[in-house]
Amino acid sequence: MSVWQLVAVGAVMLLGLIGVLVPGVPGQAMVWAAVLWWALTDPTPVAWGVLIGATCLLLLNQALKALLPSRRPRESGAPRKTLMAGGIAAIVGFFVVPVAGGILGYVGAVYGAERMRLGSRAAGWTSLRSVMRATGYSVLLELFCCLLAVGAWLGAVIWG
C-alpha cells in the first residue's frame, strides 16, 4: 500500500471519528469502511486480524448502544460547543495517553468547558452529570470503540 493510500485511509478514519460527534453522520461506519479498505488493499494476516477485531468491537458497540439511553443533547442544557470540545479532547487524549486518555479527555473537557461557562465548580459538576446522562455515555462508548479500532490500525501500520 502506498503512502498516499495510507494517508487517505487515515483521513477517512479521522472524518469518521469526527462524525461520531456529529448527529446523523455514520462515523462508526466510516471508521470500519476505512479499515476494510486498508485490509483489502494490504492483504496481510495482520491487516485481516485488525479488520476482524474492529468488526467484532464495532458490532459489540452496536449491541451495547441499545442498553444505553439515547442521545438527547438538548436535554443536557450544554451548548454544542461543549460536546464538540469533549469529543476533540477525547480524540487527542487517546493518542497522548493511550486508551485511558480518551475517557479522561472527554470528561475533563466537558467539565472544564461547563465550569468556565457557568462560573463555579459545583455548577460544572452538575452540568457534567447532566451531559453524561443525556449524551455522554453513548457518545463516549461509540467514540472509544472507534478510537480502539483506529489505534489498532495505527499500531499495525507502524509496527506491522
Side-chain angles (χ1 to χ4, degrees):
M1 180 172 241
S2 73
V3 172
W4 292 110
Q5 284 180 319
L6 286 175
V7 169
V9 168
V12 170
M13 286 184 179
L14 181 61
L15 287 174
L17 289 174
I18 293 170
V20 168
L21 305 173
V22 179
V25 177
Q28 184 176 348
M30 291 172 69
V31 169
W32 182 81
V35 173
L36 176 67
W37 175 20
W38 170 69
L40 290 175
T41 308
D42 187 18
T44 62
V46 172
W48 286 102
V50 170
L51 176 64
I52 291 167
T55 302
C56 292
L57 180 68
L58 296 176
L59 285 174
L60 178 66
N61 176 43
Q62 288 293 353
L64 290 176
K65 273 177 39 177
L67 301 175
L68 294 173
S70 62
R71 293 183 188 183
R72 298 177 309 268
R74 295 199 193 279
E75 289 183 17
S76 71
R80 186 173 293 258
K81 289 186 334 187
T82 298
L83 302 175
M84 288 300 288
I88 291 170
I91 293 169
V92 172
F94 183 84
F95 293 105
V96 172
V97 179
V99 183
I103 296 169
L104 296 174
Y106 185 83
V107 172
V110 169
Y111 169 71
E114 287 300 285
R115 182 171 180 192
M116 286 177 53
R117 182 176 73 92
L118 298 173
S120 74
R121 185 176 8 176
W125 279 114
T126 302
S127 182
L128 172 64
R129 283 193 307 269
S130 174
V131 166
M132 291 303 287
R133 278 188 215 112
T135 63
Y137 296 121
S138 62
V139 170
L140 190 58
L141 177 68
E142 186 173 351
L143 183 61
F144 191 68
C145 287
C146 287
L147 282 169
L148 286 175
V150 171
W153 169 79
L154 192 61
V157 167
I158 292 173
W159 294 293

